[in-house]
Amino acid sequence: MPPEQGGCRPCRRSASVLPAVREAWRAWGPRAPGGPGGSGGLWNRNFRYFFVARTVTLFGDGMIPVTLTAGLLGAGRPASTVGFALAAWLLVAAAVINMGVVAVLLVARPIRRLRRMGYG
């Protein structure tokens, strides 16, 4: 049975779901009314820039241990050196995350308290 008539036997429900999906796509799709900073919808220009940048960043962060290991082993270093290098990289990453947490605790919370008291 063609999809326009309700789909195959296990997918008969898809005939009732498809109009809702199409309507949702029209509401959130690229042809939605404009908003600040782009053409509107979820996939506007700014969101596409953010999505691509975030994807490239996550891919790069995931490749750091692989390239570090391949580079050190390719240079003839022993496996213990690879372990020390990965541990040092992980410690630096953890330190940067902890600095962000401390910054939030030291800066953002007092600012929120001041705003609640009416100073901002």
Side-chain angles (χ1 to χ4, degrees), residues 38-59:
S39 64
L42 180 62
W43 284 92
N44 64 19
R45 183 182 46 147
N46 291 338
F47 181 76
R48 283 192 301 266
Y49 287 154
F50 169 76
F51 184 79
V52 169
R54 185 75 175 139
T55 303
V56 169
T57 300
L58 288 175
F59 180 74

Side-chain angles (χ1 to χ4, degrees), residues 3-110:
E4 297 82 20
Q5 297 177 358
C8 61
R9 284 186 185 158
C11 302
R12 282 200 181 140
R13 185 173 177 211
S14 66
S16 62
V17 173
L18 284 177
V21 171
R22 285 188 194 120
E23 188 62 35
W25 174 252
R26 285 187 191 115
W28 290 96
R31 290 184 223 122
S39 64
L42 180 62
W43 284 92
N44 64 19
R45 183 182 46 147
N46 291 338
F47 181 76
R48 283 192 301 266
Y49 287 154
F50 169 76
F51 184 79
V52 169
R54 185 75 175 139
T55 303
V56 169
T57 300
L58 288 175
F59 180 74
D61 287 345
M63 290 303 295
I64 288 174
V66 175
T67 56
L68 189 59
T69 303
L72 288 173
L73 291 177
R77 302 289 183 183
S80 61
T81 305
V82 174
F84 289 131
L86 289 174
W89 170 74
L90 186 61
L91 287 174
V92 170
V96 169
I97 290 171
N98 286 333
M99 286 190 310
V101 169
V102 169
V104 167
L105 293 176
L106 292 179
V107 177
R109 282 189 178 175

